[in-house]
Amino acid sequence: QVQLVESGGGLVQAGGSLRLSCAASGHTFSSYAMGWFRQAPGKEREFVGAISWSGAGTNYADSVKGRFTISRDNGKNTVYLQMSSLKPEDTAVYYCAAREGMRRTNSYAYDYWGQGTQVTVSS
């Protein structure tokens, strides 16, 4: 069992930056691939990015590529989502998720989820 807690969300102006954190506990964090997803009101949950268990591999949705960066610190059991050049369309609840094995873009592939943190980007 893995427990995930996101933090770092808030209100930011367009063009600004935020860093989200996801703290994990309860199991061997370093054996899990981690994903970030988001869900805007009235929309389905969508993939943002993912990072391999070692941190050596990452992949991103086209909508955030070049603006968002995922990293992890296995010593601190934490994964990060650095968001830059934020746009109003990035407004959503952001979730981190964990799965054993390789990173995936499909939310159904993830076994553990945090409660989410709200990110609001004003124009």
Side-chain angles (χ1 to χ4, degrees):
Q1 194 77 5
V2 176
Q3 292 81 44
L4 304 173
V5 179
E6 302 97 335
S7 62
L11 174 64
V12 63
Q13 289 189 330
S17 299
L18 276 178
R19 188 177 80 158
L20 306 184
S21 299
C22 173
S25 62
H27 214 277
T28 308
F29 175 73
S30 59
S31 67
Y32 286 81
M34 301 296 295
W36 283 98
F37 294 80
R38 66 186 182 186
Q39 188 166 18
K43 295 188 176 181
E44 292 188 352
R45 189 169 297 187
E46 66 173 357
F47 173 76
V48 173
I51 188 166
S52 64
W53 64 271
S54 68
T58 56
N59 57 305
Y60 301 91
D62 287 344
S63 58
V64 306
K65 201 171 294 183
R67 300 188 298 122
F68 290 12
T69 302
I70 297 175
S71 61
R72 66 189 296 162
D73 184 337
N74 286 343
K76 295 182 178 180
N77 285 5
T78 303
V79 63
Y80 304 98
L81 179 64
Q82 177 68 49
M83 305 185 293
S84 305
S85 302
L86 282 162
K87 306 174 181 180
E89 51 264 42
D90 293 318
T91 295
V93 177
Y94 283 71
Y95 300 89
C96 67
R99 70 180 306 275
E100 289 188 274
M102 299 180 68
R103 61 191 190 276
R104 292 287 184 265
T105 61
N106 191 326
S107 63
Y108 294 102
Y110 289 80
D111 301 307
Y112 305 101
W113 290 83
Q115 82 290 346
T117 186
Q118 176 71 47
V119 172
T120 303
V121 184
S122 63
S123 58

